[in-house]
């Protein structure tokens, strides 16, 4: 399972990269906006210098022409840029076109298995079901993830299943159990994966005992 960091914050990306734990980065317009008035393409280029793996850059146009223009522009920033298109009619058309030009696309904002089937048929490199946001509506994001993984395996579709909108370590563990290809998570969740109170307590005890031994 690959780990992507779901952020546009360069400090977080540098820290996670230094840990050696991340295989890529996903950004979205809200995450980029949090970084202040950065130049988007320069910012994506800066991320791509830190991370060798796939870096998702999302289009903000709603129409096909705009998505194609942005997609081509972002893809020219670095080889590891993956263009993110929304799961709309034009988003699927853009996915098919960009894919045919050799530009990889991450289809985002997926909330149903039907949508995921369409993304795979459009040739997406990644499909991003949003677990947390679906949970927020009273539906089960992990059930959706399991459905998509099962369907994709039936046909050996190459589109990778990228579990997104991850809110907790449980989402990561369950996504791994289900067999998602990738989990993209906020830096906070990555930290939560590392930490365990019994590790801290055990370490404290070991060191206290060590000192008692006169060292
Ligand atoms: C995925 O690529 C998205 O950036 C992200 O996972 C959205 O998550 P959120 O629901 O926490 O905003």
């Amino acid at each position: 399972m690959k780990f992507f960091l779901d952020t546009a914050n360069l400090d977080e990306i540098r820290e996670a990269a230094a840990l050696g734990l991340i295989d890529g980065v996903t950004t979205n317009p809200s995450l980029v906006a949090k970084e202040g008035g950065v130049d988007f393409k320069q910012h994506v280029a800066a991320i791509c210098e830190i991370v060798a793996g796939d870096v998702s850059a999302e289009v903000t146009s709603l129409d096909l022409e705009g998505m194609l223009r942005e997609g081509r522009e972002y893809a020219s920033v670095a080889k590891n840029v993956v263009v993110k298109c929304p799961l709309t009619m034009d988003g699927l058309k853009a996915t098919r076109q960009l894919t045919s030009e050799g530009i990889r696309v991450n289809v985002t904002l997926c909330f149903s298995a039907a949508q995921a089937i369409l993304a795979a048929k459009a040739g997406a490199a990644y499909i991003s079901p949003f677990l947390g946001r679906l949970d927020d509506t009273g539906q089960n994001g992990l059930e959706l993830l399991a459905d998509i993984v099962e369907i994709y395996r039936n046909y050996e579709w190459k589109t990778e299943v990228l579990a997104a909108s991850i809110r907790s370590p449980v989402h990561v563990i369950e996504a791994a159990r289900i067999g998602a290809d990738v989990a993209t998570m906020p830096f906070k969740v990555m930290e939560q994966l590392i930490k365990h109170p019994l590790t801290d307590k055990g370490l404290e005890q070991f060191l206290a005992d060590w000192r008692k031994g006169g060292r």
Side-chain angles (χ1 to χ4, degrees), residues 36-175:
V38 293
D39 175 277
F40 183 53
K41 285 206 291 178
Q42 277 175 16
H43 201 72
V44 170
I47 296 173
C48 290
E49 271 179 31
I50 305 169
V51 178
D54 288 347
V55 173
S56 287
E58 186 159 346
V59 299
T60 49
S61 296
L62 296 178
D63 64 300
L64 176 61
E65 283 317 308
M67 286 185 199
L68 293 177
R69 181 181 35 77
E70 280 186 70
R72 289 169 186 143
E73 220 175 290
Y74 302 158
S76 72
V77 169
K79 276 198 184 127
N80 50 331
V81 168
V82 174
V83 174
K84 229 176 174 187
C85 291
L87 216 155
T88 60
M89 194 86 87
D90 278 3
L92 290 172
K93 286 183 195 162
T95 300
R96 165 58 62 211
Q97 179 57 33
L98 292 170
T99 300
S100 75
E101 295 173 21
I103 295 171
R104 289 174 311 133
V105 177
N106 172 359
V107 176
T108 189
L109 290 166
C110 171
F111 293 97
S112 79
Q115 291 180 318
I117 291 171
L118 297 179
K121 289 191 69 67
Y126 294 101
I127 180 66
S128 291
F130 276 39
L131 309 187
R133 291 195 196 187
L134 201 59
D135 291 352
D136 291 344
T137 68
Q139 289 172 270
N140 189 326
L142 287 166
E143 272 175 20
L144 170 63
L145 185 69
D147 285 347
I148 297 172
V149 168
E150 181 187 344
I151 293 166
Y152 278 24
R153 295 223 168 113
N154 283 344
Y155 297 97
E156 295 178 7
W157 280 332
K158 291 199 171 55
T159 304
E160 292 190 64
V161 182
L162 192 165
S165 187
I166 280 181
R167 303 268 169 82
S168 71
V170 173
H171 271 153
V172 180
I173 295 161
E174 291 305 314

Side-chain angles (χ1 to χ4, degrees), residues 6 26-28 31 84 130 133 164-165 167 184:
D6 199 23
T26 48
T27 66
N28 65 40
L31 292 172
K84 229 176 174 187
F130 276 39
R133 291 195 196 187
S165 187
R167 303 268 169 82
T184 189

